[in-house]
Amino acid sequence: PVLFPRARIARLGPAPAEPGAPAPIDLTVGAYGLALPVDLQEPQEVAPRRRDGTVRLETVQRVRFTPTRPGEVLREADRRRVPVA
């Protein structure tokens, strides 16, 4: 699990088509469903577990995750004043 303070989140929502934009760090671990990217105001360190079980500390400004109920995540984020696009 990774927690990002609301003040550090620049945007949460479905990925826009941005040619040449840096790819987010993938935290989905291959899960099926709608993957949502989170863009952060500033870089933050995370330690994602890879499919092979290894963990490596990385500095990221964008991550992608797959919630079980993406629509509910976006509604709740909006309710909590997280920038949703």
Side-chain angles (χ1 to χ4, degrees):
V2 180
L3 300 175
F4 299 114
R6 177 178 53 219
R8 290 192 182 174
I9 298 174
R11 179 189 175 282
L12 167 67
E18 298 177 18
I25 297 299
D26 190 356
L27 301 180
T28 66
V29 194
Y32 292 109
L34 177 65
L36 298 175
V38 176
D39 295 324
L40 303 171
Q41 297 282 357
E42 58 191 51
Q44 184 166 326
E45 289 186 335
V46 296
R49 182 175 305 275
R50 307 243 180 263
R51 288 183 183 188
D52 64 2
T54 61
V55 176
R56 187 177 75 202
L57 190 63
E58 296 184 43
T59 302
V60 301
Q61 195 158 352
R62 188 177 215 199
V63 299
R64 177 175 50 222
F65 69 103
T66 306
T68 303
R69 298 171 54 199
E72 190 59 34
V73 167
L74 294 173
R75 280 188 288 281
E76 186 65 19
D78 186 50
R79 190 181 76 73
R80 293 179 184 228
R81 301 182 322 272
V82 172
V84 175

